[in-house]
Amino acid sequence: MSDEAVDFDYLEGFAAGDMQVVTEVLALFQGQAEGWIPRLDRADAEGWRDLAHTIKGSARGIGAAALGEAADRAERGDPSLAPELRAALADALAAIEGYLTRIGGG
């Protein structure tokens, strides 16, 4: 895992350098992820694409390109891709934790 999981420069630029906005956005993402993780374990074919689509949009919004790509593949695939999506989500969350610790927001 590395900071490459999330492009924090992208997010900071998108927030016009307002670190309060950046930390709030990341906290929202973390909160959403808490709900996604158990759903990944029990996703069925019907709800799978909606879940993957939601993760894809949120990931791309914060600059988590690898997670967005994994979610895109999952959205076009099936629940058998859950381990790949779960791993990419874990990488993004670990990068966020490290970033927030470094900037004093976590």
Side-chain angles (χ1 to χ4, degrees):
M1 191 295 307
S2 72
D3 280 355
E4 294 174 10
V6 180
D7 182 350
F8 296 107
D9 289 337
Y10 163 82
L11 183 57
E12 289 172 12
F14 189 76
D18 186 333
M19 296 309 289
Q20 182 176 348
V21 170
V22 169
T23 58
E24 287 176 7
V25 166
L26 292 175
L28 287 169
F29 183 87
Q30 290 172 309
Q32 290 176 317
E34 287 179 23
W36 298 331
I37 291 167
R39 291 179 59 201
L40 283 171
D41 292 333
R42 64 179 193 273
D44 59 15
E46 184 176 322
W48 176 253
R49 284 183 177 78
D50 288 340
L51 176 59
H53 181 79
T54 298
I55 295 170
K56 177 177 72 175
S58 293
R60 289 179 173 171
I62 66 163
L67 175 56
E69 290 305 312
D72 184 59
R73 286 188 299 276
E75 183 180 12
R76 291 182 279 117
D78 60 54
S80 69
L81 295 169
E84 175 187 349
L85 186 52
R86 193 179 303 106
L89 180 57
D91 285 348
L93 289 170
I96 290 167
E97 282 296 323
Y99 174 82
L100 291 174
T101 297
R102 280 193 311 281
I103 66 165

